[in-house]
Amino acid sequence: MVNPISLFNASCTDCGLKKLCFPLGLDKGDILRLDALVKRKPALQKGEALFHVGQPFQAVYAVRAGGFKVSTVPASGEDKIIGFYLPGDILGVDALSTGTHVSTAVAIDTTTVCEIPFSALERLSLQIPSLNHQLLALMSKELTDERMHAELLSRKGAEERLALFILWLSERQSRRGFNALDFRLGLLHRDVALYLGLTPETVSRVLARFAEDDILSWRNKQLNISNLHKLHALAGVNESVQQCLRA
Amino acid sequence: MVNPISLFNASCTDCGLKKLCFPLGLDKGDILRLDALVKRKPALQKGEALFHVGQPFQAVYAVRAGGFKVSTVPASGEDKIIGFYLPGDILGVDALSTGTHVSTAVAIDTTTVCEIPFSALERLSLQIPSLNHQLLALMSKELTDERMHAELLSRKGAEERLALFILWLSERQSRRGFNALDFRLGLLHRDVALYLGLTPETVSRVLARFAEDDILSWRNKQLNISNLHKLHALAGVNESVQQCLRA
DNA sequence: CGTTACGTTGAAAGGGTTCAATCCCTGTGG
DNA sequence: CCACAGGGATTGAACCCTTTCAACGTAACG
């Protein structure tokens, strides 16, 4: 019989997400050294927190399945939401400079992560230049994401914000090898509203309008984009945003 | 006679900003090695660009005097503004992962910078762990700043946005050793508006209200805060924002 | 099957934007 | 030294969109 734990404990080498995750750009030997640091953790249930504001920073986490919403307050996402993390994303690095987590990550679904103790990672990165570069690139990605968030929030209209947000999600889906036009989205309207600086009511109304115009439908956590072109137009995508989308 | 170029070419060791800049946390010898990489550049005039969107990434820059506004478009800040950089700040790192600048930095005053070639910096950082850590901390600071930007943009009211923004500037001033309640601010209302997702008209109106209520005055590029307490109240500062402010 | 939380829909109200006119400051040239 | 031009700042009024508050519908869970 195949060991049932083998999948759970899949090494970085075998992981389907290695092209999105840390191993990107590392050679086989280095991946093994990285792999030795990684601790696979038992799954978190929806609503459980991976880390809290104020907690000491000890590790970064790679999402394997499920996802997180991250907010700046201890409560489970009642305040402003500053980001979403999906499979292949790495979270926790925002605590790097202070040594203390400044945000709280809450699972939006049943979620599994890989834990990578940071002190060991930092030590290893001094020996593997490309890993060090990876670390910087990771921070850079965080920066790009946060910038996209600001871009979203600076849009005046609710339609623009939502259209661009969904376009972004779609882009992220396709990067993970999933269908970019039809995918599951475990987020609540409320979460999206908190992320975009809107109210759930507005989100609902805009989505209704989108459905009306045959642009997309989002029912029962399933998002289906039927007219990508119109969505692009509504989002007001320009060159610089295009770059952020691709990043 | 004292060599007039000596001030211009002041080493990191003698620089008044070393507590804010890269050398932070480095010992004397390492500062010298860092210093060897730094190129002091002639001053930029108001409106001149330090780097453009699309330009290859070769160096990061530390602001010595003056300041920059950074936007995501090639034109000189006509579109959305994503950040301001003041003395002691380091800019350019957002190009790190792509190798190409994704933003344009334009001087808002007569401005002098130190240029640090990045490839050399990255090489040196592999030899000096604390410098490597500095690099990560720098990225982390960029992240915090961008998060603050998102925080500002997610505020619903114009008063809240402006109040918090000014509070933030004040905090940055005091960190540089300047008067936190009365300082020069080379920004146009228009720049602030573009940064905060508002119109110049709204900024003007809110500032008029602030002056009316004896909270602050901003005339002729001179900003004077007369009632910090009220400003805090208007900004709706909470714990997590407080942390961002201090960061 | 009922409870709870989320989603939807409606009408009213508030605040920022927009557009346009005027003012003010700066720097320029006569 | 003064006059003029230009860009930015101010002020006013009308409009539009989001928020707010409330009620109702609906899906998931025990």
Side-chain angles (χ1 to χ4, degrees), chain B residues 76-89:
Chain B
S76 32
E78 283 312 307
D79 206 342
K80 295 180 167 62
I81 289 178
I82 60 175
F84 300 110
Y85 289 82
L86 302 176
D89 290 337

Side-chain angles (χ1 to χ4, degrees), chain A residues 157-159 197-199 201-202 205 209 220:
Chain A
E159 288 196 353
L198 300 169
T199 59
E201 290 95 328
T202 302
R205 276 184 257 265
R209 233 174 295 156
N220 298 332

Side-chain angles (χ1 to χ4, degrees), chain A residues 137-158:
Chain A
L138 169 60
M139 296 293 287
S140 189
K141 185 194 173 307
E142 287 286 309
L143 200 55
T144 304
D145 284 1
E146 204 63 46
R147 193 160 286 177
M148 182 56 121
H149 188 198
E151 172 76 39
L152 284 165
L153 289 170
S154 69
R155 300 298 175 97
K156 285 159 298 195

